[in-house]
Amino acid sequence: MSSADDRGNVNGRAGRRNGGTTVKEFIQKVQSCQPSLNDSLEGEIQAFLFKEDLLHTYDDLTKVNPVTPTTVLKCLQARYNVRVFYTHAGCTLVALNPFQPIPDLYSLDVMKEYHCAPQPQEFKPHIFIVAEEAYRNVQSQLAPVNQSLVVSGESGAGKTWTSRCLMKYYATVAASSSLVKSQDTVERIERRVLDSNPIMEAFGNACTLRNNNSSRFGKYIQLQLDRFQLLVGASVQTYLLEKTRVACQPANERNFHIFYQMMKGATEEQRKEWKMPHEQHFMWLPNAEKTIEEDCFHETLKAMIHLGINTERQRQIFQVLAGILQLGNVNFSSLTDESKPCDLEEQSKDFLQRAAELLCVPADELHTCLRVMTLKAGKQSVLKPCTQAECSMRRDCLAKVIYAQLFEWLVTLINNSICADSSTWCNFIGVLDVYGFECFQVNNLEQLCINYANEKLQQHFVAHYLRAQQDEYVSEGLQWSFVKYQDNQSCLDLIEGSPISVFSLLNEESRLNRASDAKTLRVRLEKELSDNANISWDKFSKVPHFTVAHYAGKVSYQIQGMVEKNKDPVPPELISLLQKSNNSLLHQLFTDKETEIPTTKGLSKVTVVSKFKNSLERLMMILHSTTPHYTRCIKPNPDCQPLTFKKEEVIMQLEACGIVETIHISAAGFPIRIPFRSFMQRYGLILKDPRFKSASHCADLEAGGNMLRQEVEKLLRMVLQHHVLNSRCHINEKHNSWAHCGRTKVFLTQSMLDLLEEQRKKIQSQCAFTIQCCWLRYQRCRRHARRQSATLIQAVVRSWLVRKQVQRWNRAAAVIQNTWRKWRALLKSLAEAELDDAKDFVEDDMPAVNPVIRERGSVQLSHIQEPVTVRGWPMGLALASAPSITMSLTATGFQKVMSVMASLNLPSRRGEYKVKTNQCTQELASIRAQPKGSVKLHCQRSPLLYADRQPDLKREVTGFNEILLEKTL
């Protein structure tokens, strides 16, 4: 299909949603401030769309030229086809829902990559860039320090998933340090913050026609950070739970997730306790056979445990929910006699009994409260039988009030579990996830409040960006022609204005003590609000309704039942019954609840509209006091099909949420606004480059108050001159409009920013090359010096080792020589002693025994006049003596005695020994000795090498210190 055909199809659908304004008319309206482009606009669009292979490379839609719904749509479609789901649009991030899991897109490694990046904006567009920008704003402590992340879009566009990713990101990067708290505490906070999501989604989300996990309530989650920017807690604020879904589900939609989780995840024991057999069918659980990803009962139970909900409290919660389901099967029969209360259908009696047992209330009292109304007339009470419709309404009211109170109790419990003390946190990052814009076949008060909330958020976006940015141009002294944008202030005046508006008339009608009439209210709305162009009526319709032209399109609201829903009456007898419940949780929920009884002072009663409006006003005050960050979620197709892009569906959302106007203001004006000081800190290095110094003909700056601005102007002029010289062109009017210096900021177009970044990268590359050269030269010189030093050290060490080795050899040789000489002398002395006769031995004067030797041990021979010392260890001596020798051993000290005895293994008995003169054949003997008597000495192993204390007598003996004279005879 050609581009023209595509544009024609888109125009028809968009014209119907915006009151007849086509895309072509929209283009002409947007470009009316630039008449020079009108003639060639269509040609430029065709030329831009001709480059289809490059359309997916535009990661920021402000780079698109020209900016039209068609070009923006084509770029988003091209990026979606290559599975790129995030795109920048000025200050807004556009997120396209892929309708299928993309795990690698949100992994922990991707989080760390964006968190640790010096400039995350230089990375591909991602929701983590928005999260990191908000986190760094808190770290920089620039006012306003607190941040708000506003996630908006239609139902099914992916707001809940985006909010979940943001919470996971902060729970990861802001709780990853344990500088202040222990790691267990940090992990507990992170787990509880993340576990609040499954519970909130189970009790507050439902499967609708547009989304399997649609949030049926609004929530604003404040992630609390301490002075170290660490996550220490969180708090949850909720807005307008769609409690009517408990008792009334639209066609082909489901009830809240928690009921289906109970049906599909309960055990047999739990089913028996909750009185929910497999074959039972519940009227309030349509499409129970449909299974979706959110039907995960065990994850909900696990999250409850982590948040401190014990088993007993869980049992009470599920009993109450099972009782609500049993109430849905209670039906009443119609009677002709209005003076009598309605009877239960026969099959409903069992259901009523089960509901009473599960809610722990008396069955007869529950039966009476559902069928009989208590009216007060002064101090008297009057019982009035209810009709079949009134009985069904009271049954539904009982179920809705129980579920609403249970949901509020869960929110309070979650806040008590995850909220930090006010003294421990100082800043917060808020994540806003509200219902998307809704337009069904039948729209009532819930859709009016939901669309009103979206109108307020759209106004906040318009006031903060579209209007504020253009006002900033004027305050900074720029010549700016204002771009028209869609302002929804008139629609808000219609809904919430004072003194007359839709809300005020609804409240007034609700506070009157009378039955409401839809036709009367329609006539009054038409009379009071006919001057507002945003409201209209179909006079030919039989159903009373009114149509409001919202920023996202026209929606018709049915008036029938709107006043009753705004009153939200709760019969006091039902509250009294629940206060008597034996279920401690149910009793706690309604003990402190004030009973709303209609009185003559009904004007002071709080209605649903007034309560929601007040809570929304408090939310807007928080948003206005923080720095907002916008994420626009786009639903690419109405059927939630994976990777399916419907151009008609997307272009309606782009125009409805003001994306095209946002892009056009950013692209046609100056999307980049940088304070002078920050600009010079980033690009001041360009002035120091020699090329720019030579090209500059400006004088040195004079000191004064405008010095910083003059530096900025000088830098911009130098960059432009350098660009012109390189491109060999002249500075024209187009170049002059690339940048403008205001009073405090410099305003840049994307082209000028790209030029500055290009010059900055070139200078940085040259500086980096110079640094690398110097570093490499330094490294080479250092390696050369280290190599020379290592060579010198090795030579010195080798010479020292050689000298030490030679010295060791010399010392060893000297020791060996001395030992050898001593051994030779010892052998010589022993040989000389063996040649002596016994007479000579007796007659010779024996030298005095050394006291030390005497103390260590000696052997005395009794037949010898003088004691002869025998060295016991390490070598024994063979002495010449008489055949019969009496030996006595003297030694002091037990250890010394044992040492001598171990060395001389002398026999313990006396005996005669015969010595043969020729003993050369009988083991070892001295052939030179001529002993007359002999003593056999046994030497045991000594520490010396080859020593043997107890040698084997039959083996050859080797060694220098072993002596064996002869065997014992």
Side-chain angles (χ1 to χ4, degrees), residues 662-686:
T662 303
I663 299 170
H664 181 71
I665 291 175
S666 299
F670 300 96
I672 297 95
R673 303 177 302 280
I674 308 175
F676 289 151
R677 189 171 300 279
S678 300
F679 180 81
M680 292 304 299
Q681 287 178 354
R682 182 169 181 81
Y683 302 107
L685 56 89
I686 298 178

Side-chain angles (χ1 to χ4, degrees), residues 691-699 714 718 721:
R691 297 174 300 161
F692 293 97
K693 286 184 178 180
S694 60
S696 176
H697 302 286
C698 301
K714 175 184 176 182
M718 291 166 52
Q721 289 177 356

Side-chain angles (χ1 to χ4, degrees), residues 937-952:
L937 301 179
H938 297 275
C939 299
Q940 299 187 7
R941 185 181 299 275
S942 70
L944 298 181
L945 192 63
Y946 304 116
D948 192 357
R949 294 173 55 191
Q950 295 181 349
D952 188 2

Side-chain angles (χ1 to χ4, degrees), residues 17 34 177 200 258 265 272 314 340 370 374 394 412-413 428 566 584 594 651 791 820 840 873 879 921:
R17 288 291 295 267
Q34 297 179 354
S177 176
M200 299 289 287
I258 186 62
K272 183 177 180 181
Q314 292 179 24
K340 296 182 180 180
L370 293 178
T374 303
R394 293 169 72 86
T412 304
L413 183 140
F428 68 85
N566 190 36
S584 61
E594 297 181 359
I651 198 169
T791 304
W820 175 256
D840 298 335
W873 189 88
L879 303 177
T921 60

